[in-house]
Amino acid sequence: MKYKNTVEKWGMFEAACEGKTEGNPFRDFTISGSFRGEKEKVEAEGFYDGDGVYKVRFMPSFEGKYSFCIRGTFSDEIYEGSFLVTAPSKENHGPIRTANTYHFAYEDGTPYYPVGTTCYVWELQKDEKVIQTLESLKEAGFNKIRFCILPKHYDYNLGEPRSYPYEGTPMDSSILTEENFREYTGKTEGNCWDFERFCPEHFQNIENCILELQKLGVEADLIVMHPYDRWGFSRMTREQDDLYWNYVISRFSAFRNVWWSLANEYDLLDCKTQEDWEHYGNLLCQKDACGHLRSIHNCRPFYDYSRPWITHCSIQRQDLYKTAEMVQEWRIRYRKPVVLDEIAYEGNLPLGWGNITGEEMVRRFWEAFLRGGYAGHGETYWNPQGVLWWSHGGRLLGESWKRVRFLHKIMCETPGIGLKFKEMERDDICAVPEDFTLAQKTGYHLFYYSFMQPCFEKFYFDEDTEYQVEVIDTWNMVIENAGKFKGKFTIKLPGRQYMAIRIRKASQVV
Amino acid sequence: MKYKNTVEKWGMFEAACEGKTEGNPFRDFTISGSFRGEKEKVEAEGFYDGDGVYKVRFMPSFEGKYSFCIRGTFSDEIYEGSFLVTAPSKENHGPIRTANTYHFAYEDGTPYYPVGTTCYVWELQKDEKVIQTLESLKEAGFNKIRFCILPKHYDYNLGEPRSYPYEGTPMDSSILTEENFREYTGKTEGNCWDFERFCPEHFQNIENCILELQKLGVEADLIVMHPYDRWGFSRMTREQDDLYWNYVISRFSAFRNVWWSLANEYDLLDCKTQEDWEHYGNLLCQKDACGHLRSIHNCRPFYDYSRPWITHCSIQRQDLYKTAEMVQEWRIRYRKPVVLDEIAYEGNLPLGWGNITGEEMVRRFWEAFLRGGYAGHGETYWNPQGVLWWSHGGRLLGESWKRVRFLHKIMCETPGIGLKFKEMERDDICAVPEDFTLAQKTGYHLFYYSFMQPCFEKFYFDEDTEYQVEVIDTWNMVIENAGKFKGKFTIKLPGRQYMAIRIRKASQVV
């Protein structure tokens, strides 16, 4: 058996054993481990990784000495040993957890403000494109990316993926055109898959990508199921699905930067019922020892985000016009963090979800943040190569990503963790810190003027406190110090859209 | 008695008699007339116009000989005579009526597409400004203007009007500032008015303005009551209000271009009850022989527009974001024309209702039109002179008015009268003629892309019909002929916001 003697806290311990290869090792044998440290004891199931190798993984949450005991049904041997968990490295803050009901923090307490993007199958592109996507993510500073474990069949997604999750052969995709591709679905004949034999290379590639993301500080929001399918992966039996879910959980759950998205547009998966989703949610709760964040994404009707296994809302907008503005309502309804994982994409496609301007994308990010929630980015600019960030990754062509990076800096300067909307006498869009005591102490107010273009604004908080005022041009990414003010005061604005004003007690600004 | 022997159809016949001046002629005496032509018989109440002159007015709806009989309680004399009603002059199409449930037409059947603006007290400014406003209206091509009969007290409206509706003296307005003016309301002491003695000059000026508007083809949407008051005009007794309503109806209802708006923001008039509004509506139905359009405008809750005396919805938006997009719902709810008489103003005030961009204003106009309704314009650009189009008229400073004029041309090219929204397979914003037969015959489809920026769109109606396609840049006001197409076809777009595509059967385009 192979393993390393030391692993950092929230790093991944992995043990690899040689075992039997006869029959179907994916189905016929199991491996599991028991990990014991001073402060935790964790049971984990492992998986068959091909070539006679079985693996079991574990993410330790505490420093110090751990012992393990591993057994496989392919052998009578019991593997025992120990390893040392060292302090986390500087950039390792642990997995993301929900904090104060509506917001997120890393397990070490560092606030985490999601500024995510979507590239559905970036990891199934060729190496060159995968590397380009990682470079783009680094430059943009996104800290979450949503992507699918299974390949995607859709507009602009007719090509073959670099690998398949199962052994077998796909239908002949050379007959597909942008005109006819909708006729080919998961029901299409011509596919020949063994849904009980995984291709470990497919999953190994995804793991490499998850690790690369981890190095960049990017959370991997894994979409486990989705309906854009011509291969039949969305129409397997319950037994086949369970095999898939168990394989996915045992492979991925020990990576600290994983989130679970049970499905993209769950309501379009016409072979799955609510009972199925509850079952998968239950599987995750039982088998993901790391307790990663869990949600499920809608096309039209929301899943019931108040279900106890769901950690946060993962929302696709239900209205063409009102999107991020609904965050307050959704917070009240679900009392969980609200992440808008699809609010249309910056781009120019002939599709209502894929052709908003960069300005509108950024406006939605700010609206969501002011209301105590989080928007997600995506890009769909048409190009002759058919490489769209939204699905393939590659290079960012739009204008919003820079402004999202700018917003993230503002987010990180929030006192405590996160903002909430504050009703004002006027119709102002105003947010204050979620934590009441910190709000009082700092006097922090963030006003956002969205598509409105006032040429000045008047303020009054109290007679005596001195406030530091900044005028923020959210599009041109400029923060201007407007000075210190007391009592009633007026702040000039340029009479353009997308301006914000940040006000803090002068005594609290370092 | 003075009167003219001829009057054109939908013109105004007026008879003026000398009468008693003792006591209070406004309250103590009445005058009324009976008008009989071959096709109609109308009773009308008149009014005292000062200087011992009593008048009664009548708008004939048919050509030919009319006789009249006029009596006043100030005399035993009965005035009888006759006059000839001639054909209407070229620009005279009669008063506006509702047509086909959701749209408007002049009484002669010519479709009327409202593109209105709001200048609350333009007619109470000095002559020079009034003339400037008329020039601006002419240039902009607005065909409706909302304004108040009574003076206005509000932000940027602290000055004295050119005249008052009643004899008396106002409170000292020199003490008003933008900081304190809200403390002064209709309850304020210092006003001294005789609510039973009108100033005829005040109303004569308004009549001159209504006539000037008529020459320009502009409908005068008269706001009879409003809450922005420091004089007490919004807090009179029922008897005083009735005297006012009767005076207003008898003076203004024979002008063909009058519409009645019972109130602006009726729900802010804290002395008036629903019973009051129903009573005024009933008064109008009884006493306005011309049957002008009647509605009432809200601040927050809508009045119940399904009330039978209301001819159309006069709506102020209830949501900061979704405004014109709601027209479909309101059409279904009320089954009457939907006029959005306030959807925020183009401008830069520090007030959510007064600082949208020209682009957003125009977008709301198009959204309303595509959904089978009509938006209204207004401007609130701050300037050191404090002259804001929204209240004072003057010159237009914004960018939306030109695009509204452009839209009006498109509106006038609609087959039949008006559009309605058409659900498409995609999320398209598409409208077709309200009249199903005309929609079939012409193949007219208007697509609008709002804030979206597709770089092309695909269409398919049928295999055989040839369609003429135009690409419309609603902001740059350009209509480009894209050519003729059959079957499946693709139309290129520039990938900018605010584009539209108009499609008609080629055989129907002259």
Side-chain angles (χ1 to χ4, degrees), chain A residues 143-155:
Chain A
N143 62 14
K144 178 165 95 71
I145 180 169
R146 301 168 64 234
F147 62 98
C148 304
I149 296 171
L150 302 169
K152 180 174 181 182
H153 170 71
Y154 200 68
D155 290 68

Side-chain angles (χ1 to χ4, degrees), chain A residues 16-60:
Chain A
C17 315
E18 302 270 332
K20 290 183 185 164
T21 57
E22 61 256 40
N24 179 354
F26 295 104
R27 185 195 55 199
D28 301 340
F29 303 111
T30 62
I31 181 172
S32 63
S34 173
F35 302 88
R36 184 190 294 265
E38 205 177 312
K39 295 181 177 160
E40 66 179 334
K41 181 171 180 296
V42 170
E43 306 290 333
E45 293 182 7
F47 60 94
Y48 182 63
D49 199 28
D51 295 327
V53 178
Y54 294 77
K55 289 181 175 173
V56 62
R57 290 169 174 173
F58 164 63
M59 185 199 83

Side-chain angles (χ1 to χ4, degrees), chain A residues 366 370 419 422-432 443-450 457-461 469-472 474 489 493 498-504:
Chain A
W366 276 81
L370 270 275
L419 295 181
K422 181 181 180 184
E423 294 278 352
M424 303 296 284
E425 268 184 53
R426 301 185 308 219
D427 270 347
D428 283 88
I429 302 165
C430 176
V432 295
Y444 181 106
H445 283 78
L446 186 61
F447 292 86
Y448 178 57
Y449 297 102
S450 193
E457 286 288 342
K458 294 181 173 186
F459 297 96
Y460 176 74
F461 298 101
V469 178
E470 291 159 305
V471 172
I472 302 174
T474 71
F489 59 91
L493 289 165
Y498 315 128
M499 301 299 299
I501 293 178
R502 184 166 58 177
I503 298 179
R504 291 175 283 186

Side-chain angles (χ1 to χ4, degrees), chain B residues 394-413:
Chain B
R395 285 201 202 291
L396 287 155
L397 304 174
E399 287 297 322
S400 62
W401 63 270
K402 297 168 212 169
R403 282 79 184 183
V404 171
R405 189 179 57 188
F406 174 78
L407 169 60
H408 187 250
K409 276 195 283 184
I410 305 276
M411 288 172 156
C412 290
E413 291 164 7

Side-chain angles (χ1 to χ4, degrees), chain B residues 83-98:
Chain B
F83 57 93
L84 186 68
V85 177
T86 61
S89 53
K90 190 171 165 244
E91 300 301 326
N92 172 2
H93 300 287
I96 312 290
R97 309 297 184 191
T98 56

